[in-house]
Amino acid sequence: MSDPDDKPKSHGRLSMRASLKPRDLIEEPRLVKGAFTAKIITLFPEAFPGTLGLSLTGKALDFGLWQLETIDLRDFGQGKHRNVDDTPAGGGAGMVLRPDVVDAAFRHARQGTPVDRARWPVVYLSPRGNPFSQDTARRFAAAEGITLLCGRFEGVDQRVLDHHQVEEVSLGDFVLTGGEIAAQAMLDATVRLLPGVLGNAASTEEESFSDGLLEHPQYTRPATWEGQDIPAILQSGNHGEIAKWRREQSETLTRARRPDLWAKRK
């Protein structure tokens, strides 16, 4: 029997330890060969998995349908205090992430990953980036994995972004204190599209933005609630008419709430 104070010994990818206590088979994430891998470069690795560890994305993580690796940017900091930032050239408020620090983190993250950005996007979460959309999520989900840089302070030295051909993506027209929340949102949208994550694949085909339209209204039991009835068509059993009604509702909602999306369709 092993000494309880013994440290676990590394065996390649897995760490093992003898124990008298029965082990939950899903206590530790399983490893599925070729699973989509997300590498997150951040000053706050403790922020992950966060909400990604819950519900469907969390179960998929446990079962190895995707993998998450956090890379602490502070590990690549300079000097005794592990500095990662400096004052902006030309003056101005705030601080900017240093190119040498970010470069070292990118080089660490790219080990074992394809050079082709279509197979492995490298993304900086930035309010000045291209807007994130369902199409972006589909593109990310079709890749083998992704590296996400969570920014802080006033931004990142442009030279390192150019050098590593980093794609800038924005969650929306607002500013966050850092990229961690945006990274979780983008990964949630991406991971749910991976094979096997959702129990019903049709769910992703019928929801908002799947065909450039907002999703139709949804109803469930009870049939009457607070004096309001479920639309009769939904209880008719006529699936052709139901599909037609849902399509009309989606088009009406899109025209009213998202004229920009409607204009693209036209």
Side-chain angles (χ1 to χ4, degrees):
M1 183 180 299
S2 63
D3 189 309
D5 293 328
D6 286 347
K7 294 183 179 179
K9 296 179 175 59
S10 175
H11 294 266
R13 293 174 299 174
L14 297 176
S15 181
M16 305 179 65
R17 171 185 293 178
S19 172
L20 293 176
K21 183 179 179 181
R23 196 171 190 84
D24 188 337
L25 291 178
I26 61 171
E27 180 181 335
E28 294 181 349
R30 304 175 185 181
L31 298 177
V32 175
K33 184 178 180 181
F36 179 93
T37 300
K39 299 189 177 189
I40 315 295
I41 301 173
T42 173
L43 283 169
F44 298 95
E46 65 273 18
F48 296 89
T51 57
L52 296 171
L54 306 175
S55 190
L56 293 175
T57 54
K59 290 179 180 178
L61 188 62
D62 287 339
F63 282 99
L65 298 179
W66 72 289
Q67 299 178 49
L68 177 66
E69 176 187 342
T70 55
I71 299 170
D72 192 344
L73 187 61
R74 188 71 66 182
D75 289 344
F76 306 93
Q78 300 293 310
K80 182 175 72 172
H81 299 292
R82 296 285 186 181
N83 292 328
V84 299
D85 57 349
D86 211 326
T87 55
M95 304 291 279
V96 176
L97 289 175
R98 294 171 53 120
D100 48 354
V101 173
V102 176
D103 172 70
F106 275 144
R107 291 180 183 276
H108 175 83
R110 79 181 184 191
Q111 295 178 28
T113 67
V115 176
D116 184 355
R117 289 291 185 261
R119 294 174 58 193
W120 196 288
V122 177
V123 175
Y124 167 44
L125 289 312
S126 165
R128 72 180 186 190
N130 292 320
F132 183 77
S133 67
Q134 191 68 12
D135 285 340
T136 314
R138 290 193 193 97
R139 175 165 60 87
F140 289 168
E144 298 172 34
I146 190 170
T147 297
L148 298 172
L149 170 63
C150 299
R152 283 276 158 177
F153 316 121
E154 294 303 310
V156 181
D157 189 297
Q158 186 64 42
R159 293 169 296 179
V160 72
L161 299 178
D162 294 340
H163 180 76
H164 286 277
Q165 298 176 293
V166 178
E167 176 182 357
E168 296 188 47
V169 179
S170 171
L171 188 61
D173 294 337
F174 50 87
V175 179
L176 298 170
T177 55
E180 287 75 17
I181 293 175
Q184 288 193 29
M186 292 183 191
L187 281 177
D188 184 276
T190 299
V191 167
R192 65 192 302 278
L193 299 177
L194 299 175
V197 173
L198 292 185
N200 182 3
S203 297
T204 61
E205 299 172 4
E206 299 173 356
E207 57 197 9
S208 288
F209 311 114
S210 60
D211 61 353
L213 295 172
L214 299 182
E215 188 177 19
H216 54 77
Q218 297 281 8
Y219 300 88
T220 189
R221 290 177 288 187
T224 300
W225 179 79
E226 293 291 324
Q228 301 179 71
D229 296 329
I230 293 176
I233 185 64
L234 298 180
Q235 303 180 82
S236 68
N238 188 327
H239 296 294
E241 289 300 312
I242 290 173
K244 180 181 177 182
W245 179 88
R246 286 174 168 170
R247 181 73 178 189
E248 291 172 349
Q249 290 292 311
S250 290
E251 291 179 351
T252 299
L253 282 171
T254 305
R255 281 197 301 267
R257 299 182 182 181
R258 292 294 303 274
D260 57 322
L261 291 179
W262 186 253
K264 288 181 180 179
R265 290 182 59 82
K266 296 300 180 181

